[in-house]
């Protein structure tokens, strides 16, 4: 899979894709993330990517021209399955969406800024609008990094133990059960005995019940 991120602040995306699982995905040739500076696609000498909003009001708007040029340039090199715009008024990201997107080939992610982008970008160039939650960030970059991470980590082969991604929170609409590791007792705090019993079926039932209990307490909406 290939993800191309278009942004006017590429510096915000230096780093996240060169660490840990995302780095492994790249080294294994399973996923590649490329960050593109929107300013390269301007043709004014100040490299401005924003302008005032027609009709007045506070805040600048990302203009359509450099965005259209950036997307057209990428599309001239390969086909894309989705052109996603990160925005707090998009559809809220969940595990189902990440699962679905992890099966795609090539994706463009456009990061918003200021008051957002010219609506014509959204009407004509974007296939999907995604929010990572009901709060406003100063731009779409961190949201794009969250989206890319959630997609790439579940591409088959990225995580060694594939079942590990399948037992994450949300994969079956349940939060994950608690996990423990050595030592079996620390400062008098003990690991639940069942987990050291070796009874696979009992452990599985215990984990399911704990996941259910945890979900009822923290996220009852997932059980509706
Ligand atoms: N840009 C600013 N806030 C955002 C959010 N919550 N989700 C996606 N993109 C954003």
């Amino acid at each position: 899979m290939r993800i191309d991120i278009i942004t006017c602040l590429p510096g915000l995306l230096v780093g996240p894709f060169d660490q840990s699982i995302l780095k492994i995905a790249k080294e294994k040739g399973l996923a590649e993330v490329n960050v593109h500076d929107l300013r390269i696609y301007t043709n004014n000498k100040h490299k401005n990517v924003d302008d005032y909003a027609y009709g007045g009001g506070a805040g600048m708007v990302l203009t359509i021209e450099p965005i259209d040029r950036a997307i057209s340039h990428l599309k001239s090199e390969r086909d894309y399955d989705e052109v996603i715009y990160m925005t707090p008024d998009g559809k809220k990201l969940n595990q189902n969406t990440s699962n679905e997107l992890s099966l795609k080939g090539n994706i463009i992610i456009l990061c918003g800024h200021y008051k957002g982008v010219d609506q014509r970008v959204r009407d004509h160039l974007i296939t999907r609008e995604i929010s990572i939650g009901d709060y406003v960030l100063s731009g779409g970059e961190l949201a794009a990094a969250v989206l890319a991470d959630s997609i790439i980590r579940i591409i088959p082969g990225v995580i060694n133990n594939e079942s590990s991604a399948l037992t994450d929170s949300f994969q079956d609409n349940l939060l994950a059960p608690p996990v423990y590791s050595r030592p079996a007792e620390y400062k008098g705090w003990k690991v639940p005995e069942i987990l050291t019993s070796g009874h696979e079926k009992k452990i599985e039932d215990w984990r399911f019940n704990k996941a259910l209990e945890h979900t009822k307490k923290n996220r009852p909406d997932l059980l509706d």
Side-chain angles (χ1 to χ4, degrees):
M1 145 170 279
R2 176 183 167 115
I3 299 180
D4 287 284
I5 303 180
I6 302 171
T7 166
C8 56
L9 285 176
L12 273 175
L13 292 167
V14 173
F17 303 110
D18 273 327
Q19 315 275 332
S20 182
I21 286 174
L22 303 187
K23 186 178 179 194
I24 293 168
K26 188 174 170 186
E27 284 167 359
K28 286 184 176 171
L30 294 170
E32 181 186 334
V33 179
N34 298 283
V35 179
H36 307 272
D37 187 349
L38 191 56
R39 288 178 207 282
I40 289 171
Y41 296 93
T42 57
N43 54 12
N44 61 77
K45 73 169 188 275
H46 298 295
K47 301 210 176 295
N48 287 335
V49 290
D50 59 334
D51 208 335
Y52 295 100
Y54 276 124
M60 304 295 274
V61 175
L62 286 179
T63 55
I64 191 168
E65 275 186 86
I67 295 173
D68 184 33
R69 263 190 233 118
I71 293 174
S72 300
H73 170 74
L74 289 170
K75 282 186 173 172
S76 72
E77 297 193 323
R78 66 195 66 76
D79 290 333
Y80 284 90
D81 301 298
E82 297 278 355
V83 183
I84 300 170
Y85 175 50
M86 302 310 298
T87 172
D89 56 10
K91 192 161 174 237
K92 211 190 291 175
L93 180 63
N94 61 25
Q95 191 64 49
N96 284 343
T97 306
S98 297
N99 291 350
E100 185 199 334
L101 292 174
S102 75
L103 302 173
K104 308 271 181 187
N106 302 319
I107 292 177
I108 292 174
I109 305 178
L110 172 66
C111 304
H113 248 276
Y114 316 111
K115 276 284 160 202
V117 297
D118 187 305
Q119 182 61 33
R120 289 167 293 183
V121 170
R122 301 172 72 160
D123 292 344
H124 302 289
L125 305 177
I126 296 296
T127 61
R128 230 186 242 244
E129 302 184 332
I130 295 181
S131 161
I132 62 161
D134 293 341
Y135 43 83
V136 180
L137 303 167
S138 53
E141 288 74 16
L142 299 180
V146 167
L147 176 64
D149 182 301
S150 76
I151 294 172
I152 292 171
R153 65 184 293 282
I154 50 177
I155 293 173
V158 170
I159 297 184
N160 266 341
N161 177 1
E162 276 182 35
S163 72
S164 170
L166 297 176
T167 56
D168 286 341
S169 283
F170 307 113
Q171 282 295 11
D172 46 11
N173 265 357
L174 285 180
L175 299 183
V179 290
Y180 298 84
S181 186
R182 281 184 289 184
E185 185 172 343
Y186 180 73
K187 292 185 175 173
W189 303 325
K190 290 186 181 144
V191 169
E193 250 170 53
I194 188 107
L195 296 179
T196 53
S197 69
H199 285 121
E200 270 181 37
K201 174 77 179 96
K202 282 189 184 165
I203 292 173
E204 196 185 313
D205 290 348
W206 180 90
R207 286 190 169 140
F208 176 75
N209 287 325
K210 284 288 175 190
L212 198 57
E213 206 178 281
H214 190 186
T215 310
K216 274 185 191 153
K217 182 161 168 261
N218 284 357
R219 291 294 306 277
D221 56 296
L222 291 177
L223 300 170
D224 289 346

